Amino acid sequence: MSQNNTLIIFDTTLRDGEQSPGASMTRDEKIRIARQLEKLGVDVIEAGFAAASPGDFEAIKSIAEVVKHSTVCSLARANEKDVRAAGEAIRPAARGRIHTFIATSPIHMEKKLRMSPDQVVEAAVKAVRLAREYTDDVEFSAEDAVRSEMDFLCRIFEAVIEAGATTINVPDTVGYAVPDQWAERFRTLIARVPNSDRVVWSTHCHNDLGMAVANSLAAVMAGARQVECTINGLGERAGNASLEEVVMAVRTRGDAFGLESGIETTQLVPTSKLVSSITGYPVQPNKAIVGANAFAHESGIHQDGVLKHRETYEIMRAEDVGWNANKLTLGKLSGRNAFRTRLQELGIELDSEEALNATFARFKELADKKREIYDEDLQALVSGVAEEAVETLRLVSLRVCSETGETPHAHLVLNVDGVEHDVDAVGGGPVDAVFKGIESIVKSDSALTLYSVNNITGGTDAQGEVTVRVEKDGRIINGQGADTDIVIASAKAYLNALNRLRQPERRQHPQLGDV
């Protein structure tokens, strides 16, 4: 594919997506997602913000060590400390990129940066030149470009291209753009900026008005050849442009775009499910491409048409984006080697024999409860085992009673720091009773801000996956639990969140600026 008809997919799930409240990821979780993004065929993986915290630095460095085909990128503000941190973090990468940015809108320069336009240009040029000491692949972003003056954008882009920037990103940081105007902005910049043909033009759109994908595609039509996006549209506030929607729009409407990407589209659904599982952000059923109902037909007229000829109502094949029955044809008599092989096929790598044994034991337990085990079940099992290393609160036993006309009650036994405690509790329902019982023992004083239930697979014997979100003293923590018994899954999820809450804060806020 030549540069003119290639669309570069820049995934920022691990950086911008992580800014979603409660979506912070551990180093191992980031590595799992990065491996899957590479399997998906993402061109550039923005692995984090190296200067944000030592944890983020180490996560980026670890990803740079294991990813071999995708470019690994770190974000950096336009200052020496950030750029050097980014440069050191990506040093092990086969292909590394530094993505440096500074705000360019009048309101940001005056109110946030308290810098003059001349000072902003000087800082941008200095950052790009410094980044070139570490890599030839340097991206520059003009934060809040949507509200920046065109003349100033042309000036700063000309300066950073001369300094050595190879990608110019024009971000709609606040989700303010509309497609026609956004496309016109790109056409004007490409036409006016000297040496614009020496760089790749990139678009990064937020979804505050629900137009992130539309604006991204409008920019592509106007000459952008890189789209910055996230899996499931994850991101701060209303999120970012959804990778799967951008990719499938370009592929399905080849007549309109005339572009190709290197994305292996059959990995879209598996990637979506992995990100949802790790971050605790469920995918809405009617979400385009990866939602459970994306290829479902309720209307009799639609059903009749699809049965007669699929293309009457379907513009894509479900199989092309990864919707298939990924059934693990293993049962309770299956061996450890076959189990390990299937994990490897799914891109799941456990870091120790103990972790494999724990996952295999859970698989055997689940096989006794479920007739069929799916790949999604395995992802849930692995996520559960990963949390056991920091487990100081553990469910020993649980008995609940919910009867018509009677107040639901629960009896729990919890192991807290090696000591068992039992309690009886009542509530508005069995889950409420369980949560109140747990809180009476743990006394976390946290606020439960989200309780969500999703089935991992189909069928009445499916595992239910519960996500809870708790908040205390400004910390927002997600917890997850999976079980064929939804009350037990709820208890696991709540304890998972409280276990995380009891750990020292793993990292600072994932980003100190926004692009």
Side-chain angles (χ1 to χ4, degrees):
M1 292 184 291
S2 69
Q3 178 60 49
N4 288 335
N5 71 346
T6 301
L7 183 63
I8 298 168
I9 300 299
F10 178 112
D11 181 89
T12 184
T13 302
L14 298 177
R15 198 278 300 172
D16 205 335
E18 193 185 23
Q19 290 178 225
S20 303
S24 289
M25 307 166 213
T26 65
R27 181 185 70 89
D28 290 343
E29 289 169 339
K30 280 195 164 191
I31 291 173
R32 283 180 63 198
I33 291 177
R35 288 184 185 277
Q36 180 59 33
L37 290 173
E38 185 174 34
K39 189 175 182 180
L40 177 64
V42 164
D43 297 290
V44 184
I45 300 172
E46 189 165 53
F49 191 159
S53 71
D56 227 21
F57 178 92
E58 289 302 324
I60 297 166
K61 186 177 180 182
S62 297
I63 290 169
E65 290 169 348
V66 302
V67 168
K68 302 304 179 186
H69 304 293
S70 302
T71 296
V72 177
C73 175
S74 174
L75 188 70
R77 290 169 299 183
N79 64 56
E80 183 174 357
K81 173 179 173 291
D82 277 29
V83 173
R84 292 202 182 278
E88 293 301 325
I90 66 165
R91 193 179 289 277
R95 283 181 287 276
R97 174 183 294 189
I98 294 175
H99 178 191
T100 187
F101 73 96
I102 194 168
T104 54
S105 65
I107 187 172
H108 276 243
M109 290 190 290
E110 178 185 350
K111 303 298 183 182
K112 184 180 78 170
L113 298 179
R114 302 185 188 282
M115 294 170 66
S116 69
D118 288 346
Q119 289 173 317
V120 169
V121 173
E122 181 182 357
V125 168
K126 183 178 179 180
V128 169
R129 286 176 176 163
L130 185 60
R132 286 296 297 253
E133 295 180 12
Y134 293 90
T135 176
D136 292 336
D137 190 348
V138 177
E139 176 171 339
F140 173 77
S141 286
E143 184 185 4
D144 201 24
V146 68
R147 295 185 294 180
S148 299
E149 295 173 347
M150 182 62 72
D151 288 345
F152 185 65
L153 283 179
C154 292
R155 175 189 171 191
I156 197 168
F157 287 155
E158 179 182 3
V160 295
I161 292 172
E162 183 64 30
T166 52
T167 298
I168 298 296
N169 183 43
V170 188
D172 179 11
T173 306
V174 293
Y176 185 72
V178 294
D180 285 351
Q181 293 177 357
W182 196 235
E184 183 57 32
R185 176 147 294 218
F186 270 84
R187 281 190 288 266
T188 301
L189 287 169
I190 293 171
R192 287 184 52 183
V193 173
N195 297 315
S196 65
D197 59 334
R198 286 168 40 186
V199 298
V200 174
W201 289 86
S202 175
T203 181
H204 177 125
C205 296
H206 281 258
N207 204 40
D208 296 70
L209 293 176
M211 291 186 282
V213 170
N215 286 326
S216 297
L217 295 174
V220 169
M221 297 287 275
R225 287 299 177 265
Q226 175 177 283
V227 174
E228 306 194 0
C229 42
T230 61
I231 301 298
N232 300 334
L234 196 66
E236 192 168 18
R237 305 187 313 276
N240 291 265
S242 167
L243 181 149
E244 56 275 5
E245 294 177 23
V246 169
V247 166
M248 291 311 294
V250 170
R251 172 173 166 159
T252 305
R253 293 304 310 274
D255 60 318
F257 293 98
L259 298 172
E260 299 177 33
S261 76
I263 296 297
E264 174 52 61
T265 61
T266 58
Q267 291 297 317
L268 288 171
V269 169
T271 308
S272 168
K273 290 183 177 181
L274 176 63
V275 170
S276 176
S277 173
I278 286 177
T279 62
Y281 272 70
V283 176
Q284 68 198 55
N286 63 329
K287 167 76 168 63
I289 316 298
V290 295
N293 292 347
F295 293 89
H297 299 276
E298 179 71 17
S299 164
I301 295 174
H302 287 210
Q303 291 173 346
D304 179 65
V306 169
L307 288 172
K308 291 175 178 175
H309 189 72
R310 181 188 59 81
E311 293 182 4
T312 55
Y313 286 102
E314 288 188 2
I315 59 173
M316 298 168 283
R317 295 196 317 157
E319 299 92 325
D320 290 344
V321 300
W323 280 112
N324 51 50
N326 285 324
K327 184 168 64 178
L328 174 62
T329 54
L330 299 176
K332 59 184 178 181
L333 301 179
S334 299
R336 191 183 311 270
N337 187 50
F339 179 73
R340 187 203 303 263
T341 299
R342 186 55 185 156
L343 290 181
Q344 291 173 345
E345 290 172 354
L346 292 173
I348 298 172
E349 297 189 16
L350 300 176
D351 56 8
S352 68
E353 193 68 21
E354 291 76 14
L356 175 65
N357 291 338
T359 309
F360 187 65
R362 289 196 175 200
F363 163 72
K364 289 285 192 175
E365 292 174 5
L366 184 60
D368 283 332
K369 299 177 183 178
K370 285 193 67 181
R371 183 171 57 88
E372 295 177 333
I373 306 296
Y374 294 85
D375 293 346
E376 295 88 341
D377 294 312
L378 285 187
Q379 298 284 7
L381 289 176
V382 172
S383 296
V385 171
E387 293 301 326
E388 289 188 344
V390 294
E391 194 174 54
T392 59
L393 306 173
R394 184 170 59 84
L395 180 66
V396 177
S397 66
L398 169 62
R399 184 176 71 249
V400 296
C401 181
S402 183
E403 184 179 351
T404 303
E406 300 293 333
T407 301
H409 63 273
H411 177 80
L412 302 95
V413 179
L414 298 184
N415 186 301
V416 182
D417 298 319
V419 179
E420 289 193 0
H421 302 260
D422 67 293
V423 67
D424 289 289
V426 298
V431 172
D432 185 43
V434 169
F435 283 15
K436 286 178 177 175
I438 292 173
E439 186 62 30
S440 70
I441 295 174
V442 179
K443 296 180 172 57
S444 71
D445 295 323
S446 60
L448 180 67
T449 60
L450 174 73
Y451 173 79
S452 174
V453 181
N454 289 277
N455 61 313
I456 295 177
T457 58
T460 56
D461 65 345
Q463 283 197 97
E465 185 174 58
V466 175
T467 300
V468 301
R469 185 172 300 146
V470 299
E471 182 173 3
K472 182 180 181 181
D473 299 331
R475 288 186 70 190
I476 301 173
I477 303 291
N478 281 344
Q480 288 180 287
D483 199 276
T484 52
D485 185 318
I486 201 63
V487 179
I488 295 176
S490 299
K492 288 179 177 179
Y494 193 46
L495 289 170
N496 179 237
L498 296 183
N499 270 314
R500 291 183 170 194
L501 192 62
R502 295 181 107 208
Q503 302 303 309
E505 192 141 16
R506 295 173 295 172
R507 62 195 308 274
Q508 300 171 14
H509 191 277
Q511 189 181 344
L512 304 177
D514 191 16
V515 174

